[in-house]
Amino acid sequence: MQKKLKYLIGILTFFLLTGTANVMAMPEILTTQQLHPGMIGTAKTVVQGNEIESFNVKIIGVEDNGKGASKQIMAEAYGPIINDTNGVIHGMSGSPVYVDGRLIGAVARGIGSDTNPRVFYITPIEDMLQLWQFPDPKADTGQINQVKIDLPSSAQRVVADNEELARLLKKGQPAANNNMAAVTARKVTKAAKAAMQSEQQNNTAEKAVKTEFVDMTNWKNKYGGEDDTVQEGIPLAVNGFSGAGLDYLKKELAPFNMYPYETGLMTTKQSTGSLVGNTAVQPGSSVGVALSYGDFSVGAIGTITAIDGNKILAFGHPFTYRGNVNYFMTDADIVGTASGLVNGQKVSSFGKIIGRINQDRYSGVSGIIGKYPSVVPIKVTVDDKLLERHNVYAANIAYDEDLLPNLAASIAYASLDRTIDSLSSGTANVEFAIRTNAVDSGKITRSNMYYNNADVGQFSVGELLQLLNIICADTNKQYDILGIDMKLSFDEKRKTASIISVVPDRAVAYPGDIVNLKVTLQPYRGQKEQILVPYTIPKNEASGEMYLEIRGGGLIPVAALAMQGVDLSPEEDKTQTASDKINDFLQTDKNNDIIVAQIAPPIMSDKEQKKAVEDALKVQKQLEESGQLGKKPAAPQEIKATTDYIIDNVVRINLVIKK
């Protein structure tokens, strides 16, 4: 992978570090063999702001799960903090636990949702230390230093293209429609904190049904589905996604066994300065891990277990359980806690980016402070004609070929959803550009138009998803994606039209002639319109009747396919490069195009139909004998004309051709 180009371009090329890392070393450790029941220890965590506090821990015992399996240390928490939070809560995961001043491991998992929330499991530190030994092939060569980096000329061009995106990210815009803004205060009074706890206690049953307060100290949680079925998933807390946008994200991440949920308790802290923060963190500090960062964030917040130089250990349990990864590491603020009868959660916000998470495994996550993930910046501009809204959203997606297409499409969909604030029928005009080295020009551009009477958003982001999948799933080569820019214009009006007549300016033509077709359109509940579409008769066209099909670009050209006799094209051509597939995709018809194409004469009788099948079989046999079977037949000549409407029907006419 050509990392230097992709990696210096995201958000991180725009900013310099504002501080340096504290040099810290690993403390002495105690292994599970050195522990015994009744030992008393101390755990460190943050329950408000960034001040590290302590609570007491009593070792119950060590659970041995057999050969090759990780051990777990069972313990009980107690003390003023635990009384306040009513037990071990989400966000404490990773909190370092010390016995006699020596590190034994990290707060990791609750015993169960219906058990005493003060009893929990600790992941042994000897298991977590192995995370630093795993290979890191996804490591990025780019690093933000305190001096300005000299970029290659091509990267400078990309940076210039992203200046507007950088400004948006620095300003943390838009705050519009962000219902999380109310929880960005750094301090919460005791009265407010008590009120949150009281509200949670009064609504425990309802919250459990909605899964808004999931006990994240249990890594694999069970969520109730339809008909009370149980499904397991990797829980991901999100910010910016809600309603239909969250539903779409759930659908896109379901193949990865990920379950996004909106707690209302995690935000991305708006910042007026650099997105890159200083690294004044220490064991017990809060830390964020994110797949995307900005107006739309997907991730989790836990606690740092240990620091050795610029390496950190955290969480004590997996985040996504995807092994070697490339995620954002951020500092974090804890606004306060919201505690229930059997579970609770820290009210938290992502802070600034401080490094890269590179391992995500059963015993926890590890990362490198001062190193940064490869990123793909995405900017989505949405205009709502009816509401007169103009919103610009910006986010960065940590580069992961598997997740990138789904996250990018979800961010685009959620941007539209947040702006139009409805699922009513409507028309969307879509334009997007993908900057990538998968094509010689360095940029893929595409536009289209969609109408749907229920949810036009899902159609609007479909082509972006498909093109990103082509790039990321290519079996021949790994390509760079340098950025995504998308513009969505929404109108509640139905902008469809039907072709009600097509009149050629002549009934008889000769090969090579240009025949002007007067196409009359009937827009939905509008006045008729006419456009002129010129069609050139092929120079090798035989004498006799010639049949033309005039259709909307979004309609399947059934008649044109019939002209080929049988579909001889393979399901997928494995020899095609990503560039070939992209170029083929970009040639596909658009919904607001009028397509004029030659078609086969209509089959009027059973006898003619039987003869057509026999002729097709003869052609197939000839192709088999000549070794040509499987090659894509040449497409019939097509003429395209772009309109302001989605064309929803087909009209056929015939001309007389003379030599």
Side-chain angles (χ1 to χ4, degrees), residues 504 506-507 509 515 535 537 544-548 653-657:
R506 67 188 76 179
V515 177
Y535 182 83
I537 307 298
E545 283 193 303
M546 175 184 183
Y547 293 85
L548 294 178
I653 64 170
N654 66 294
L655 301 171
V656 176
I657 306 301

Side-chain angles (χ1 to χ4, degrees), residues 50 75 119 122 158 242 248 281 324 326 372 424 532 537 595 626:
N50 51 27
V119 179
I122 298 170
V158 175
S242 60
Y248 185 88
V281 292
N324 182 219
N326 175 71
Y372 301 96
S424 61
L532 203 63
I537 307 298
I595 312 299
S626 63

Side-chain angles (χ1 to χ4, degrees), residues 248-298:
Y248 185 88
L249 180 67
K250 288 179 180 179
K251 176 176 70 72
E252 289 300 312
L253 294 185
F256 304 97
N257 195 35
M258 294 179 179
Y259 185 91
Y261 72 100
E262 181 187 23
T263 65
L265 298 181
M266 188 180 74
T267 69
T268 301
K269 184 180 176 184
Q270 304 300 318
S271 174
T272 57
S274 169
L275 295 181
V276 178
N278 63 45
T279 52
V281 292
Q282 54 186 302
S285 295
S286 296
V287 65
V289 180
L291 306 178
S292 65
Y293 180 93
D295 288 322
F296 298 93
S297 299
V298 178

Side-chain angles (χ1 to χ4, degrees), residues 126 146 200-201 245 274 373 378 457:
E126 60 261 39
Q146 293 185 359
Q200 172 61 3
Q201 291 171 358
S274 169
I378 179 170

Side-chain angles (χ1 to χ4, degrees), residues 27-43:
E28 291 186 52
I29 70 170
L30 279 179
T31 66
T32 52
Q33 292 180 340
Q34 297 171 293
L35 295 175
H36 57 78
M39 281 184 160
I40 302 299
T42 301

Side-chain angles (χ1 to χ4, degrees), residues 12 136 138 234 236 258 288-293 298-299 315 318-330 353-361 365-368 371-375 397-403 407:
L12 304 177
D136 188 14
K138 294 184 179 179
I234 300 167
L236 302 178
M258 294 179 179
V289 180
L291 306 178
S292 65
Y293 180 93
V298 178
F315 278 35
F319 168 47
T320 63
Y321 205 33
R322 290 174 61 82
N324 182 219
V325 295
N326 175 71
Y327 298 153
F328 294 103
M329 183 202 306
T330 77
I353 301 164
I354 62 172
R356 168 178 170 254
I357 296 296
N358 66 339
Q359 301 294 339
D360 182 357
R361 301 180 185 272
V365 301
S366 68
I368 306 172
K371 295 278 188 176
Y372 301 96
S374 305
V375 301
I397 304 170
Y399 190 85
D400 181 313
E401 283 190 313
D402 295 329
L403 296 172
L407 287 172

Side-chain angles (χ1 to χ4, degrees), residues 119-188:
V119 179
F120 65 99
Y121 282 125
I122 298 170
T123 296
I125 188 60
E126 60 261 39
D127 291 342
M128 297 185 70
L129 286 171
Q130 296 176 23
L131 295 171
W132 286 339
Q133 307 303 318
F134 286 106
D136 188 14
K138 294 184 179 179
D140 188 1
T141 57
Q143 181 175 0
I144 301 302
N145 300 308
Q146 293 185 359
V147 295
K148 187 174 181 179
I149 296 175
D150 293 323
L151 303 177
S153 58
S154 56
Q156 288 176 348
R157 172 182 55 78
V158 175
V159 168
D161 289 344
N162 282 278
E163 285 180 353
E164 182 184 357
L165 176 59
R167 286 195 297 270
L168 288 166
L169 287 167
K170 287 180 71 175
K171 293 178 181 178
Q173 294 178 345
N177 302 328
N178 188 348
N179 61 2
M180 307 296 185
V183 293
T184 57
R186 292 176 59 89
K187 297 293 183 180
V188 175

